């Protein structure tokens, strides 16, 4: 039995927007339950944006590194040119 290792590609913008939405929802819940007061809530939204941005930057870097690992390079770091059956560059 063969297992497929195909995964859905990471869309960094969807990840960041989802994290911002979760941060907004979490800050609303914290405010409504009385865990934080109004003075603390004003710092939660900018903190959410900063954390979502940092996660987005890390995800973009990780995506770039994994993409670079999948390329065909020779021993000197140059990309190898591959040709199809008709002699055209792929």
């Amino acid at each position: 039995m063969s297992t497929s290792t195909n995964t859905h590609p990471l869309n960094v913008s969807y990840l960041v927007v989802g994290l911002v939405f979760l941060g907004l929802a979490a800050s609303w819940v914290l405010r409504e339950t009385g865990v934080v007061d109004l003075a603390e809530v004003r710092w939660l939204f900018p903190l959410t944006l900063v954390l979502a941005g940092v996660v987005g930057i890390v995800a973009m870097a990780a995506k770039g590194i994994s993409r670079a690992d999948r390329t065909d390079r020779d021993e000197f770091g140059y990309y190898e040119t591959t040709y199809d059956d008709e002699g055209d560059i792929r």
Side-chain angles (χ1 to χ4, degrees):
M1 176 165 65
S2 169
T3 60
S4 176
T5 59
N6 293 337
T7 60
H8 187 71
L10 174 66
N11 190 330
V12 177
S13 59
Y14 291 166
L15 174 67
V16 171
V17 169
L19 289 174
V20 169
F21 177 76
L22 287 175
L24 285 172
S27 65
W28 177 78
V29 168
L30 291 173
R31 173 67 180 120
E32 289 297 315
T33 57
V35 174
V36 296
D37 62 357
L38 191 57
E40 294 170 336
V41 169
R42 68 178 203 176
W43 289 105
L44 288 179
F45 182 64
L47 182 64
T48 299
L49 291 177
V50 169
L51 290 176
V54 167
V55 168
I57 290 171
V58 169
M60 283 181 13
K63 186 176 178 181
I65 289 171
S66 68
R67 183 179 298 147
D69 289 343
R70 289 181 283 168
T71 59
D72 296 328
R73 296 183 185 207
D74 62 8
E75 64 271 12
F76 303 108
Y78 295 107
Y79 293 104
E80 293 182 17
T81 305
T82 55
Y83 298 93
D84 61 8
D85 295 328
E86 296 156 357
D88 295 326
I89 296 176
R90 285 193 252 175

